[in-house]
Structure formats: structure tokens, C-alpha cells
Amino acid sequence: MDTGTARPALDRTFSVAPMMDWTTRDYRAFARTLTRRALLYTEMVTTGAILHGSPRSRFLGHDDVEHPLALQLGGSDAGELAECAAIAEEWGYDEVNLNVGCPSDRVQNNLIGACLMGHPEKVAAAVRAMREAVSIPVTVKCRIGIDDQDEDADLERFIATVADAGCDTFIVHARKAWLEGLSPKENRDIPPLNYGRVHRLKASHPELHIGINGGLKTLETCREQLECVDSVMVGREAYQNPWLLAGIDEALYGVPGPAESRHAAARALRPYIARRLDEGAKLNHITRHLLGLFQGQPGGRKFRRHLSENGHLDGACLRVFDDALSLVPEREAAAVA
């Protein structure tokens, strides 16, 4: 649980998207060796997991270093969402975000995720209840539409309804979700991106904070988007090519980032890894998030292979991590950082 340490001011200019099985507490601790300013999100956590799962720390546990940090909730019952939002605030989260974008069948069956775009009044009721329960921001992450919703007016109706309930911050995935006929994986690529719809939404709602998500892979693209919207959210690229995060603080916030090189970022995580191992965590559960750190670098494949082949073994310890790191020439890694 949170210790009450003072938090950096919440700034959504750049954030890392919530991603199931990826944006775990270990990934987020690693991300903080690369950027201090980016807003980080948890994986989506359902209201049922928080209210009925045990121990609660399994779903809400985090490290002070992860802040600024937002909890993404999955659910549709206003009362349960309000209760979970209050718990999130008690646990020290800086923001609570409602998932209105996940297209998987499993969450649809529980009226969670993108299917809620077809029920804007239900989302509005949930947002209203959550805002009444907490003092931290309550935000919504949604799609530009679902199924046959394929006009600016469809997105406008959803946003206007939820904004009337008091939500002033929306992160919009600029890709429609097909809830029937496409798998969640296909929904990440097949429906075409429509940045223009998000840009027009912002132009028509200058009073709202409108962020954009979907297909963003470079700092240059992020800068371009920030000319039209208030913030950018990057997903898969921030995970698969984490060194992208090392340029965020200077490029978008005008302050130096924490990592001088990839090696420096890896070494900075060692105390955290040691502590997590002492707590009983498995080495590969932590180091799997670092496999892309040396992408394209001399020794990068050897680094990945050594961790993949040895990190899961019984008793795997920091020595395995250090041995993997030694396979990457530090001088070369620093020179190209």
C-alpha cells in the first residue's frame, strides 16, 4: 500500500497504455529507469478482482517509484466502480481510468470494455459515482466507435454524454472496434486508424482534455500529434522497444531523463530486482520486460537468449541477470544510446 510520499504533479502529455500481462508492476518499475515524467498505467483490473480477489495486493500492489501512476478499472456497475475507485485512492493511485476500449469476448460478456460505447448513459452513471467517491481524477479510455458506429456524430454523442457526468479527460484509441467477427488481436490492426476523428473531437471540445492512442511509434509522431490533441499514449512500441521512453523526458518535458545508457538503465533496476526476488518473485517474471532493451544493439540477441534460457530456472538470481548484461558490450551500447 502507498506510504503517503509526495507525488510528482500529474501531467498526461505522454503516457504508456495499459496492456494486459505487459504493464505489470515490474514493467512499470523498469520504465521508471527510463522516464520519470511519463504517466504509467496498470493493466486493466476488474472490479470483481479488487472486491473479491485475495490478497488485494496481488491486483493493487505497486512501488513508490512507479508514480505518477493510474489504475485502469474494468467494470460497468456504478456502485462497484465507485467502491473500487475509493480503494484505489486509498492505495495511493494518482488517477482512476475506466476501460471503454477492450474488445475481447470475455470482457464483453461482463459488459466491460468497448461494448460500453453502446451504453453511454451507463458509462456516465459510473463516472458520476466514481467522481463522487474520490478526489483523484477519473478518466475514460475509449475507441472512436464500435461496429456500425462509424461517424463523428457517434463519438460525439458518447463523449458529450459522459462529459456531462463530469469527466473532462478522455484518451481515445483512434481505431474502431469490431465486437463481432474480429479477434482482440485483429482489432489492434485491421480497423483503420482515424486520427482525424480524434483531432476533430478536440477541435469541437477545447474545454476537454483529449488524448490520442493507437499506432504511435516515434517521438516525431508524438510531437506531431501534440499539435492537434492534448496528450499521446503509446502502447506496444513502449513495451517492445522500451528505449523509446529514454527520450521522452527531454523531448516532451524539457528535462533530462534518468538513463544515460541502456546499461545504466539495467543497472538502476538491480536493487529493485533483488528486493522482488527476496519477496519471492521469479526472476523471469521481472526480466521478461527487459528483453527489448538492447533491441538492435551488439549483443542484444545474446542478452535476450541468456535471460530466456536461464531466468525461469529454479534459484535463478541476480547472477543470471548480470551474466546476461555482460554479453552486451557496454562501450558500444553507450555510444549508440
Side-chain angles (χ1 to χ4, degrees):
M1 190 176 295
D2 182 68
T3 62
T5 305
R7 305 296 177 215
L10 196 61
D11 186 331
R12 298 184 182 86
T13 300
F14 182 98
S15 61
V16 177
M19 294 175 282
M20 292 301 294
D21 298 323
W22 285 8
T23 50
T24 68
R25 64 182 302 178
D26 296 323
Y27 169 79
R28 299 188 306 259
F30 167 49
R32 282 291 172 237
T33 70
L34 302 168
T35 170
R36 294 190 181 97
R37 300 298 299 274
L39 174 59
L40 303 180
Y41 282 78
T42 67
E43 308 167 87
M44 181 187 71
V45 183
T46 65
T47 54
I50 293 175
L51 297 177
H52 308 298
S54 180
R56 193 165 278 173
S57 58
R58 173 185 172 192
F59 306 101
L60 297 176
H62 60 279
D63 194 275
D64 271 352
V65 73
E66 297 172 41
H67 293 276
L69 178 63
L71 174 70
Q72 186 181 67
L73 286 175
S76 57
D77 181 274
E80 291 180 352
L81 284 165
E83 184 176 356
C84 289
I87 292 170
E89 183 171 33
E90 179 184 346
W91 276 73
Y93 284 90
D94 302 301
E95 173 190 308
V96 176
N97 177 266
L98 179 60
N99 184 319
V100 191
C102 181
S104 81
D105 293 339
R106 181 172 61 84
V107 297
Q108 285 184 59
N109 293 336
N110 293 294
L111 201 58
I112 298 172
C115 62
L116 284 172
M117 291 202 70
H119 305 273
E121 294 292 350
K122 195 170 190 67
V123 176
V127 165
R128 189 176 293 111
M130 293 164 73
R131 292 187 71 250
E132 291 175 353
V134 299
S135 60
I136 57 177
V138 174
T139 67
V140 168
K141 185 175 187 291
C142 64
R143 295 276 185 142
I144 57 172
I146 56 171
D147 298 333
D148 293 330
Q149 294 180 356
D150 203 17
E151 302 292 338
D152 286 12
D154 295 316
L155 179 60
E156 168 65 29
R157 279 191 291 272
F158 174 83
I159 296 295
T161 300
V162 180
D164 283 346
C167 182
D168 61 7
T169 301
F170 297 84
I171 301 94
V172 185
H173 186 158
R175 195 188 303 274
K176 188 172 70 170
W178 282 105
L179 301 184
E180 296 185 9
L182 290 182
S183 69
K185 182 178 180 180
E186 290 171 326
N187 262 295
R188 293 198 294 264
D189 296 302
I190 291 179
L193 287 162
N194 188 340
Y195 293 142
R197 182 169 297 167
V198 185
H199 298 167
R200 292 189 293 274
L201 177 69
K202 174 58 190 176
S204 64
H205 287 283
E207 77 283 4
L208 298 178
H209 179 107
I210 302 296
I212 197 165
N213 169 232
L216 306 179
K217 295 184 177 182
T218 67
L219 286 175
E220 180 180 358
T221 303
C222 290
R223 288 194 192 96
E224 292 171 355
Q225 289 295 327
L226 287 170
E227 295 179 3
C228 303
V229 295
D230 298 303
S231 62
V232 293
M233 175 182 277
V234 177
R236 281 174 287 170
E237 191 68 15
Y239 187 89
Q240 295 169 344
N241 179 26
W243 188 244
L244 170 72
L245 299 179
I248 292 300
D249 290 6
E250 184 171 354
L252 301 183
Y253 296 92
V255 296
E260 296 181 355
S261 70
R262 291 171 172 83
H263 263 270
R267 286 195 298 267
L269 195 64
R270 285 186 85 258
Y272 174 86
I273 296 175
R275 178 159 52 83
R276 291 284 286 136
L277 291 175
D278 287 343
E279 293 171 354
K282 299 293 186 180
L283 181 67
N284 65 316
H285 290 174
I286 306 168
T287 57
R288 68 186 178 95
H289 302 296
L290 282 74
L291 296 181
L293 178 59
F294 294 101
Q295 182 182 120
Q297 303 302 301
R301 290 184 180 179
K302 294 180 180 179
F303 173 80
R304 292 194 301 273
R305 184 182 305 118
H306 190 82
L307 288 178
S308 298
E309 293 178 352
N310 299 282
H312 69 284
L313 300 176
D314 290 342
C317 60
L318 266 177
R319 177 64 182 270
V320 172
F321 178 69
D322 291 338
D323 287 346
L325 197 57
S326 71
L327 297 173
V328 184
E330 183 165 5
R331 181 177 300 176
E332 294 182 39
V336 296

